[in-house]
Amino acid sequence: MKPEVLTICAFGPYQKKVCLDFSVLSEQPFFLIHGATGAGKTSIFDAICYALYGEAATEARTPRMLRNREAGPEDDTYVDLTFCVRDTHWHIRRNPEYMRKAKRGKGLARQAPEVLLERLEDGRAAESWTRDGEVQACIVRLLGFQCKQFRQVVLLPQGEFRRFLMADTSARKAIMKVLFNTEIYQKLEDKLKAKAAEIGKSYDSIAEKQRLYLDEAGAGDEAEFCARLEMREKEAETLTKKTAALQQVKEAREKKRDAAREVMAKFRQAEAAVAEVQKWEKTIPEDDVARSRLDKADRAASLIDFARQLREAQLDAKRRQQELERLQQQGRKLAAAHEEAKASFQEVQAGKTAHAAEKEALVVLRGLLTVARELELAQKDAAVKQETSERLQKEAAAAKQKLAEGDKLLQEEKKQAEALRTKALALDSLQLQQQNLLAEQKKWDDAADSAHALQEARAVYDQAEKASKSAEAIWQTARAELNQLRELAKEGRAVLLAEHLQEGEPCPVCGSEHHPKLARAVTEVITDARLQEKETSIQSLEKSYQSAAFAAQSKAGLLAAAEAKDKECRKQLGVKSRQELAEGLQEIQKALQAARLAEQGYAKQMEKLADLQDRQDALQAKADRGEAAAARSTSEAAAARALADDKKAQLAGRELPAEPKALQRQWQQREAAWKAEEEKAAAAETNYHDLHTRYHAAQSAWLTKREELRRSVAQAETLQKGFVERLAQAGFADEMAYEEALQGSWADKNYREQVRQELLAHEQALHTAETNLMHWQTATRDLQKPDLESLEREASEAQMAWQGALRESSSAETVLKSWQKRALALQELRKKSGALTDAYARITSLSELASGKTGSKVSFQTYVLHSLLDDVMEMANQRLLIMSRGQYELHAGQRQRANQQGGLDMEIFDHYSGYARPLATLSGGESFLASLSLALGLADVVQACAGGVRLDTMFIDEGFGTLDSETLDVALKALFELQKSGRLIGIISHVEELRSRIPARLEVTKTKSGGSTAHFELGTAES
């Protein structure tokens, strides 16, 4: 990842918008971020880290603390970063939570945290993400780091620089897993383990199935199973033969039974035919009666239509006679009404002239009434509008008074809000002071812990040193005792030799024949076994001494580390004592509580101010509307008075009632009388014409109906004569006999047809029964009845015997098939079991080797991480040996502990002392060089690994102040070499000496307003 453009606004100490274009460093990628203490150098780190991860560069600062303390509600706080990853350009913008000016109204509103990530193509967004979780996942996927790892490898802020160097084995392992993507080796271990478990489970499943098959068969093993299978095959074959024999017997008996059934069926058919003939012969008398009645009904039915025509003609004549009588009565009434209407119509025609004159007088009176009403309304309207004008003028004056009072109250509330805002703005500053005091308090705690640890380390060292000296004294004493025993043994051997020496005989030791001074007898004889025992004891004591000495040396290293840590902790202590810090924290907490209350009060006060302002705006609008309405009302009152004067002039000189209501009553009475006369005349005329028309229509209708009645009577008489003649022709004496023939259901055509069909069916059934009887009598003439019951019993017995044998055979066959199926399944399982045995042995061996249970006892992933860490230390040592002038070199710690796999521990080897010691024993400057070398080595190895994370950028915050001039030269030389590979290297420092050595600088300066600004300066190094 390489930053391209960083824009920050109202962020940290940068109150105004600051834009930093990193592309100007393309020719000088090694640059210095320089400025005075507190100017905002580290805030550049905060901005980059916050843009990418939503967190500051150090854990001590929270996102809420990043907003500029002098920023007002109208100032936006955000960080905007454009960066490049593997030739792909990205843009991200993020803002923290803060209180801003409300978009509606004049209060404050909460600005929620927001983020936007875009992938750019040709300067435009091709893809975008706005959810924080999606953005975080995308950033981690792009850069290969979580925020904590980013701060340990790429962004090394104050207090975080030594963390990777001093990290425990688990933290260092987590970082290297991400950097080198070694999770694939862990996945390989897991897959091998899962595969071995899967094969083992499959093998157990096969064995369980084999056991179940054998248990179902009641066999102890497969040999017994095969023997039982063969026995069941023979049993099934025997039962099959028995079933076939019984089937032949059954079929023969069934054949005899079936023949007897056929003969017996013929005799039964003959008996049934006799019964059928007898049944139909019994219906013959009833059928003859029904046939005679059906003939009468058919003859009567032929006259039904003619009789219906006769009845219809008679009814029509009767109806027409009644209608003619009704028309005669109606005509007499219409004649009388017509004469009355004619007299009324002539009377109305005579008064038409006077009626028209009254209508014209009513029109004139109606116009005068309208003018009188308008005059009355105009007078009332003028009075109402005058009153409204006076009321509106009073209301407008009252609204102006309230508006002035509200403006005064609003100014007082604004002063209170400004006072609360001033107190609330101190919240971030107080939180930062609290964090600083807590950090100072923690330093005191760390110093107390390190002092206690130093005391314990010194006690442990003194004890170990004492034990070492004691062991050395015991060992030296034992050595002296051994020397003494050796002397005694030598003297003892000389005495034994002297006892056998004679003067003149050569000495077996020196060969001399003269022995002037023989050895005297000794008080104790020392044997070789005793000497050997003593030597063994001394070897054991020597080992104890060496072990104690090594332990003392180790404790000395720990003591040195504790002393260095204690010295470092005491060096970091501030000027304030613990008591002063505690008192300061109490004061800060009180001030924080007051500031938080002020912040809450400020938000409520701003809401109150917004409400007051809304009320003032409403009052102002109301006052303006009141004044405008009063002016309109005054103008409208003057217009109403002018209209009333005009109406008075129109009514002048006429004799009319004084009140419009009286004039209206007069007009209403005359108009009602005129309308009544108008309606009466219209009704008389309408009634006369209507009755005249109806009278003549009634005369015409009476004549028509009289002629229709004559024709209807003549038709009815003709039909009556014809009906009497047809009754005689059909054989009926009179109309009563005709009606008797059609009584009940016989008049229904369907019923007569049903009776006819039944009679025909009876005749056909009798004929069929007689024919069938003759057939079966002929068929049974030469036959005898068989003993069917005996034959049925014999066939049933044969059937039962065959079915029993068949069930036994089928059961045996079913059992045999299940056994054969088990045999095939066992054979298949035996093949699978053999294949799984070979696979399980192979996979299990690989899984145990990969997981570190066999072989070197190191898992595959741990082995890879050990190798990578060795590469990292090798690359780091190339720089560390140079920077430390050949004194220090990073070594791997213990990697195997009993039955446990080792981690990624490191230690520092001191070439001056010849011993390795813990990393914690390094001084501040030494740990800076070691951390820097390790970080650079890590970057080299990560880039060298195919598919690894590319470290294109590295920022280093402070640490150079702990180096002397010569060491600083060496460190800068290493960083200059590093940037030649294309990496962007930025260091933050206020050390003035660096200003003269690094030509490319990002200068951070404080402004007179209390904020900060930053810009790039390129060129030659300062002298």
Side-chain angles (χ1 to χ4, degrees):
M1 187 280 292
K2 277 190 175 182
E4 294 179 334
V5 179
L6 174 65
T7 303
I8 52 182
C9 183
F11 185 89
Y14 300 95
Q15 183 177 359
K16 302 299 180 181
K17 180 178 177 181
V18 175
C19 183
L20 300 176
D21 186 359
F22 285 86
S23 63
V24 301
L25 300 173
S26 58
E27 300 297 328
Q28 295 175 309
F30 182 53
F31 69 100
L32 171 68
I33 304 175
H34 182 267
T37 301
K41 301 184 297 299
T42 305
S43 294
I44 302 296
F45 277 13
D46 285 335
I48 294 175
C49 193
Y50 177 74
L52 294 173
Y53 295 100
E55 297 181 24
T58 58
E59 296 177 356
R61 287 191 288 273
T62 63
R64 284 196 62 182
M65 298 170 61
L66 299 177
R67 177 168 164 84
N68 183 266
R69 289 175 293 182
E70 301 300 325
E74 68 282 356
D75 296 326
D76 293 333
T77 297
Y78 64 88
V79 177
D80 193 293
L81 175 65
T82 304
F83 60 97
C84 179
V85 179
R86 302 184 190 91
D87 298 328
T88 301
H89 298 277
W90 298 82
H91 168 254
I92 188 169
R93 180 188 176 98
R94 191 188 294 269
N95 67 266
E97 177 184 356
Y98 61 92
M99 298 301 293
R100 59 167 172 78
K101 183 179 179 181
K103 295 180 181 178
R104 296 180 181 178
K106 299 184 180 181
L108 293 181
R110 171 183 170 273
Q111 172 63 51
E114 294 178 348
V115 62
L116 170 65
L117 175 65
E118 298 174 324
R119 181 176 63 82
L120 304 180
E121 289 183 1
D122 299 328
R124 296 183 178 180
E127 287 183 278
S128 63
W129 297 262
T130 56
R131 294 183 179 179
D132 188 63
E134 295 177 348
V135 172
Q136 290 281 11
C138 189
I139 290 296
V140 172
R141 187 169 60 253
L142 281 174
L143 305 186
F145 301 111
Q146 298 286 349
C147 181
K148 185 175 181 180
Q149 297 157 347
F150 184 80
R151 290 194 294 235
Q152 289 175 319
V153 177
V154 177
L155 194 65
L156 304 176
Q158 293 178 0
E160 304 281 341
F161 191 82
R162 299 171 62 248
R163 284 201 176 185
F164 182 73
L165 178 69
M166 300 302 179
D168 57 21
T169 183
S170 59
R172 191 176 291 123
K173 189 174 185 179
I175 295 171
M176 293 188 68
K177 281 182 180 180
V178 175
L179 290 176
F180 297 103
N181 193 23
T182 60
E183 289 296 330
I184 56 174
Y185 305 109
Q186 181 64 48
K187 290 180 181 178
L188 177 60
E189 296 175 23
D190 296 340
K191 285 186 177 180
L192 287 172
K193 185 177 180 180
K195 186 65 176 177
E198 180 185 351
I199 295 174
K201 186 177 181 180
S202 299
Y203 183 83
D204 293 341
S205 176
I206 289 173
E208 180 65 18
K209 289 180 180 178
Q210 289 175 325
R211 186 184 64 76
L212 288 174
Y213 284 138
L214 293 175
D215 289 347
E216 289 175 358
D221 52 24
E222 291 195 32
E224 184 179 353
F225 176 84
C226 293
R228 291 194 177 191
L229 176 62
E230 184 178 358
M231 180 181 67
R232 290 190 177 275
E233 289 174 345
K234 292 179 179 179
E235 179 182 354
E237 184 178 359
T238 301
L239 289 173
T240 301
K241 292 179 180 178
K242 178 182 176 182
T243 302
L246 289 174
Q247 185 177 7
Q248 292 178 356
V249 174
K250 175 184 78 71
E251 291 173 350
R253 291 185 179 181
E254 287 178 346
K255 187 175 181 182
K256 290 176 64 178
R257 181 202 62 192
D258 293 341
R261 283 179 178 176
E262 292 178 0
V263 173
M264 196 65 186
K266 291 179 180 180
F267 279 98
R268 289 173 180 162
Q269 289 289 346
E271 293 172 355
V274 172
E276 185 71 12
V277 170
Q278 292 174 352
K279 182 184 78 169
W280 290 113
E281 285 177 346
K282 292 179 181 179
T283 64
I284 292 176
E286 295 178 359
D287 289 349
D288 290 342
V289 174
R291 194 175 288 108
S292 175
R293 186 68 185 270
L294 177 63
D295 179 61
K296 289 182 180 181
D298 286 341
R299 284 186 282 116
S302 64
L303 301 176
I304 289 175
D305 291 341
F306 197 89
R308 183 173 62 253
Q309 291 177 7
L310 175 59
R311 283 195 298 273
E312 289 176 354
Q314 291 173 344
L315 291 172
D316 182 66
K318 185 178 181 181
R319 179 179 58 79
R320 291 181 184 277
Q321 180 64 37
Q322 293 174 352
E323 181 68 18
L324 184 63
E325 293 175 355
R326 184 182 63 78
L327 287 175
Q328 286 177 344
Q329 294 177 0
Q330 184 178 2
R332 286 193 291 270
K333 293 179 180 179
L334 285 173
H338 177 261
E339 290 300 325
E340 292 179 1
K342 183 177 181 181
S344 297
F345 176 67
Q346 291 173 352
E347 182 181 354
V348 167
Q349 289 287 30
K352 273 189 175 182
T353 303
H355 186 69
E358 179 65 14
K359 182 179 181 180
E360 293 177 358
L362 284 173
V363 171
V364 173
L365 188 61
R366 174 66 179 173
L368 295 174
L369 176 61
T370 301
V371 173
R373 284 177 178 173
E374 290 175 351
L375 173 60
E376 184 180 23
L377 291 175
Q379 289 173 342
K380 290 181 179 180
D381 186 49
V384 169
K385 288 182 176 178
Q386 183 62 35
E387 182 182 355
T388 302
S389 174
E390 294 173 357
R391 178 178 55 82
L392 291 175
Q393 288 174 357
K394 292 179 181 179
E395 290 178 355
K400 288 183 177 180
Q401 180 64 27
K402 288 184 178 180
L403 185 63
E405 294 173 356
D407 286 338
K408 184 177 179 181
L409 178 60
L410 183 62
Q411 293 301 322
E412 293 175 356
E413 294 294 338
K414 283 183 178 180
K415 291 179 181 179
Q416 294 181 13
E418 186 61 27
L420 289 173
R421 177 178 178 273
T422 304
K423 292 181 180 179
L425 287 176
L427 181 61
D428 290 339
S429 175
L430 291 171
Q431 287 177 337
L432 183 60
Q433 293 178 36
Q434 185 186 41
Q435 292 287 342
N436 293 334
L437 289 176
L438 288 173
E440 291 296 326
Q441 194 175 56
K442 188 175 183 304
K443 290 179 181 179
W444 276 100
D445 294 338
D446 292 342
D449 292 341
S450 65
H452 180 67
L454 175 60
Q455 185 179 358
E456 290 182 349
R458 185 173 288 112
V460 171
Y461 169 71
D462 292 341
Q463 185 178 359
E465 183 67 18
K466 183 178 180 181
S468 174
K469 291 181 179 179
S470 176
E472 182 181 14
I474 294 172
W475 174 58
Q476 293 294 350
T477 302
R479 288 183 62 189
E481 291 176 354
L482 177 61
N483 292 333
Q484 186 177 359
L485 289 176
R486 285 175 177 170
E487 290 296 329
L488 290 174
K490 188 187 297 181
E491 291 177 3
R493 286 192 290 272
V495 169
L496 291 175
L497 182 62
E499 288 178 354
H500 299 285
L501 283 178
Q502 298 295 330
E503 189 67 28
E505 294 181 359
C507 176
V509 179
C510 62
S512 175
E513 295 178 355
H514 180 59
H515 314 292
K517 190 177 180 181
L518 294 173
R520 298 179 181 180
V522 293
T523 58
E524 186 180 3
V525 178
I526 305 302
T527 64
D528 291 339
R530 185 177 177 185
L531 285 174
Q532 182 65 33
E533 180 182 358
K534 192 66 175 177
E535 288 175 353
T536 302
S537 175
I538 288 175
Q539 290 176 358
S540 176
L541 291 173
E542 184 178 10
K543 289 181 179 179
S544 296
Y545 162 65
Q546 291 176 349
S547 177
F550 181 77
Q553 185 179 6
S554 177
K555 301 304 180 184
L558 293 176
L559 176 61
E563 289 175 344
K565 184 176 181 181
D566 181 64
K567 182 179 178 181
E568 184 69 21
C569 288
R570 284 188 285 105
K571 182 179 179 182
Q572 293 180 0
L573 290 177
V575 295
K576 293 184 179 181
S577 65
R578 292 179 70 96
Q579 181 64 28
E580 291 174 337
L581 290 173
E583 292 174 353
L585 276 172
Q586 289 180 354
E587 293 177 359
I588 288 295
Q589 287 172 353
K590 292 179 182 178
L592 274 172
Q593 185 177 5
R596 290 191 181 98
L597 291 174
E599 185 180 39
Q600 297 172 0
Y602 177 62
K604 293 180 180 178
Q605 189 68 16
M606 291 303 293
E607 293 176 359
K608 184 177 180 181
L609 282 173
D611 293 339
L612 285 174
Q613 186 63 49
D614 291 341
R615 286 201 293 269
Q616 287 297 99
D617 294 342
L619 282 173
Q620 182 65 53
K622 183 178 179 180
D624 294 341
R625 290 194 302 271
E627 289 181 347
R632 286 196 305 272
S633 182
T634 301
S635 176
E636 290 172 356
R641 287 193 297 271
L643 179 62
D645 295 340
D646 180 65
K647 297 300 178 183
K648 283 181 181 179
Q650 293 180 19
L651 295 175
R654 295 182 181 271
E655 295 182 359
L656 297 173
E659 293 294 330
K661 290 183 179 180
L663 179 62
Q664 183 178 7
R665 283 195 300 272
Q666 180 182 350
W667 175 81
Q668 288 175 344
Q669 291 171 358
R670 292 178 64 180
E671 184 184 39
W674 182 86
K675 285 183 177 180
E677 289 296 326
E678 179 74 13
E679 291 173 357
K680 181 179 177 181
E685 183 177 1
T686 302
N687 188 38
Y688 168 72
H689 290 298
D690 180 59
L691 287 173
H692 182 76
T693 303
R694 289 170 60 191
Y695 173 72
H696 290 289
Q699 285 183 333
S700 177
W702 183 83
L703 293 173
T704 301
K705 291 295 181 182
R706 187 178 65 177
E707 180 61 25
E708 290 177 353
L709 174 61
R710 187 188 63 75
R711 288 195 299 269
S712 180
V713 169
Q715 183 181 6
E717 292 174 350
T718 302
L719 289 173
Q720 180 66 34
K721 291 178 181 180
F723 183 66
V724 172
E725 293 175 356
R726 292 197 178 196
L727 284 175
Q729 293 174 0
F732 294 105
D734 52 22
E735 190 172 350
M736 184 180 296
Y738 161 77
E739 291 177 352
E740 183 181 355
L742 293 177
Q743 284 181 351
S745 301
W746 291 102
D748 187 1
K749 181 180 180 180
N750 293 331
Y751 176 74
R752 295 195 302 275
E753 185 63 27
Q754 180 182 351
V755 172
R756 188 178 290 108
Q757 293 298 327
E758 287 178 355
L759 291 172
L760 181 62
H762 289 179
E763 292 175 359
Q764 291 177 350
L766 177 61
H767 176 73
T768 301
E770 290 172 345
T771 303
N772 192 36
L773 176 60
M774 292 176 62
H775 169 74
W776 289 114
Q777 286 176 345
T778 302
T780 58
R781 185 176 297 130
D782 299 329
L783 297 176
Q784 294 182 352
K785 286 186 178 182
D787 187 1
L788 183 60
E789 183 178 355
S790 176
L791 293 174
E792 289 280 3
R793 184 173 60 254
E794 291 176 358
S796 177
E797 291 174 353
Q799 175 77 12
M800 292 175 64
W802 172 75
Q803 288 178 345
L806 181 62
R807 283 194 296 271
E808 292 181 5
S809 177
S810 298
S811 177
E813 187 67 25
T814 302
V815 173
L816 178 61
K817 286 182 179 179
S818 67
W819 277 68
Q820 289 173 342
K821 187 176 180 181
R822 288 193 194 101
L824 291 175
L826 286 170
Q827 182 180 1
E828 186 65 25
L829 290 174
R830 190 164 51 252
K831 292 180 182 178
K832 291 181 179 179
S833 178
L836 285 175
T837 300
D838 297 339
Y840 183 72
R842 183 173 63 256
I843 295 299
T844 302
S845 176
L846 286 173
S847 176
E848 291 179 349
L849 180 62
S851 61
K853 294 181 180 179
T854 60
S856 61
K857 301 292 184 179
V858 176
S859 70
F860 194 16
Q861 185 183 29
T862 303
Y863 174 79
V864 172
L865 290 174
H866 285 170
S867 177
L868 290 170
L869 183 59
D870 290 341
D871 294 341
V872 170
M873 289 189 296
E874 181 180 355
M875 298 302 294
N877 286 332
Q878 292 179 10
R879 296 181 176 90
L880 182 58
L881 284 170
I882 297 173
M883 292 182 187
S884 64
R885 304 179 192 85
Q887 181 178 0
Y888 294 121
E889 189 174 9
L890 292 171
H891 280 190
Q894 187 177 1
R895 290 185 174 174
Q896 193 73 23
R897 301 183 183 91
N899 294 326
Q900 298 180 354
Q901 297 183 16
L904 301 176
D905 295 332
M906 292 190 301
E907 57 188 10
I908 194 73
F909 185 81
D910 190 341
H911 285 281
Y912 290 0
S913 65
Y915 292 104
R917 52 192 174 93
L919 291 169
T921 62
L922 293 174
S923 66
E926 292 170 341
S927 63
F928 171 77
L929 294 178
S931 300
L932 180 60
S933 300
L934 188 62
L936 298 180
L938 186 65
D940 290 338
V941 176
V942 167
Q943 284 200 176
C945 292
V949 178
R950 181 175 177 84
L951 300 180
D952 293 323
T953 304
M954 180 177 290
F955 295 102
I956 304 167
D957 189 357
E958 292 300 349
F960 294 93
T962 61
L963 306 181
D964 55 45
S965 179
E966 185 177 355
T967 307
L968 181 61
D969 287 336
V970 176
L972 291 178
K973 182 180 179 181
L975 293 174
F976 272 116
E977 290 296 325
L978 183 63
Q979 59 90 21
K980 290 181 179 179
S981 62
R983 294 191 185 96
L984 180 67
I985 306 297
I987 62 174
I988 294 180
S989 180
H990 60 275
V991 177
E992 287 297 327
E993 187 177 354
L994 292 175
R995 188 180 175 91
S996 62
R997 302 188 182 203
I998 304 175
R1001 295 184 301 277
L1002 175 58
E1003 289 289 348
V1004 180
T1005 56
K1006 291 183 178 181
T1007 62
K1008 294 181 180 180
S1009 61
S1012 295
T1013 185
H1015 64 280
F1016 282 107
E1017 290 187 2
L1018 306 178
T1020 59
E1022 294 184 0
S1023 57

